[in-house]
Amino acid sequence: MSFYDQSEFEIRCEWGIKGVEQLAPISNVVIIVDVLSFSTCVEIATSRGAIVFPFQWKYEDAREFATSVGAELALKRSDILQERGVSHQYSLSPQSLSQVPAGTRLVLPSPNGSTLSLMTGNTLTLVGCLRNSRAVAEAAMSYGSQIAVIPAGEKWLDSSLCPAFEDWIGAGAILSHLQGSFSPEAESAIAAYHQATPNLKHLLKQCSSGKELIGKGFEADVDLAAELDVSEGVSILRHTPDGKLGARAYTYQTA
């Protein structure tokens, strides 16, 4: 028995990579929460009918992978204005995906949300954010009662976990719609969400991740991410057998 897997509770919550390692093997469903911005990007893209391939944060490998699966590669936000001669400007920016056409195949590299998505093994995996918190929670309960919610967090320069306010609040939003016995960690996230709700958009703009994006000219991304329960879209991680890197060919599609 692990003291850290919250196994005596049905509804669980833990941060990042270690959270996935502890909770995924004993849960029916894992929900990855990376509000700024992977989860929000996936919600917006898949709600419009796109197919999203999560990929870890190595762009040269990602370009090769995108070619192998016949997909477009989402750029880094910082590269959008530097790229020339491309037919799109998709990136890890929710706003850039707001008009993505149905059927688009998109490789979305991300250091946090994508990485965690590819670590959940055989456990059914959803991705959630503030925009679809209720819909994701309701979908998760239809798959089983043992549910793990994983706030992704950010990374410090030494690659250690940096807990992120927006992911904790996003996790709490989803958890608030679940039913069952809650771990103390899950209850704490719910309490934080309820406290933040009256000033949600303001707080997202004042937290560290929000200030960073606004400082780089991406305030519209924070506005999109702060919209609460505006979507009924739910994205599920599926194995896709195409591509040279078949073991890594997973896609988020509408459930």
Side-chain angles (χ1 to χ4, degrees):
M1 173 183 174
S2 169
F3 291 109
Y4 300 99
D5 64 10
Q6 304 171 35
S7 59
E8 63 269 48
F9 305 100
E10 294 171 306
I11 311 299
R12 305 140 181 175
C13 181
E14 191 54 84
W15 286 97
I17 291 173
K18 294 300 182 183
V20 172
E21 290 176 351
Q22 289 288 326
L23 304 187
I26 61 167
S27 299
N28 302 125
V29 186
V30 171
I31 305 173
I32 304 297
V33 184
D34 185 356
V35 170
L36 294 175
S37 294
F38 175 80
S39 296
T40 302
C41 284
V42 173
E43 183 280 315
I44 289 174
T46 57
S47 290
R48 293 185 57 82
I51 298 169
V52 176
F53 294 78
F55 198 88
Q56 294 189 32
W57 196 248
K58 294 182 180 179
Y59 262 83
E60 290 310 311
D61 290 346
R63 290 184 188 278
E64 178 185 352
F65 177 69
T67 298
S68 77
V69 296
E72 299 188 57
L73 175 63
L75 307 175
K76 299 177 184 177
R77 283 187 179 93
S78 59
D79 288 345
I80 283 289
L81 299 179
Q82 300 172 21
E83 289 280 330
R84 296 293 183 268
V86 294
S87 59
H88 64 76
Q89 290 188 330
Y90 302 136
S91 74
L92 196 63
S93 160
Q95 186 182 38
S96 77
L97 300 170
S98 61
Q99 300 300 318
V100 65
T104 299
R105 293 162 66 85
L106 184 69
V107 173
L108 188 62
S110 156
N112 302 304
S114 280
T115 299
L116 298 179
S117 297
L118 297 171
M119 291 182 59
T120 58
N122 294 323
T123 305
L124 188 141
T125 302
L126 307 176
V127 64
C129 60
L130 290 166
R131 295 174 58 86
N132 65 351
S133 62
R134 181 186 298 274
V136 167
E138 291 175 352
M141 288 187 290
S142 73
Y143 291 113
S145 61
Q146 311 291 322
I147 301 172
V149 180
I150 308 292
E154 302 288 345
K155 288 185 173 65
W156 295 111
L157 292 179
D158 65 359
S159 296
S160 62
L161 173 69
C162 174
F165 168 83
E166 68 277 7
D167 295 343
W168 191 234
I169 299 306
I174 295 167
L175 287 159
S176 72
H177 298 299
L178 295 174
Q179 297 177 6
S181 58
F182 290 80
S183 71
E185 291 84 353
E187 290 183 340
S188 179
I190 294 170
Y193 163 67
H194 285 314
Q195 184 174 15
T197 301
N199 299 298
L200 191 57
K201 182 174 288 189
H202 173 74
L203 291 173
L204 255 67
K205 289 185 174 182
Q206 289 296 307
C207 74
S208 298
S209 300
K211 289 189 294 184
E212 179 183 14
L213 288 181
I214 292 169
K216 292 179 178 179
F218 294 100
E219 184 170 0
D221 286 344
V222 184
D223 287 332
L224 284 170
E227 293 180 336
L228 182 62
D229 287 325
V230 296
S231 172
E232 294 298 319
V234 176
S235 302
I236 187 170
L237 190 66
R238 303 182 188 277
H239 181 256
T240 303
D242 57 0
K244 297 176 183 177
L245 305 177
R248 301 172 72 179
Y250 288 85
T251 61
Y252 275 115
Q253 302 180 44
T254 301

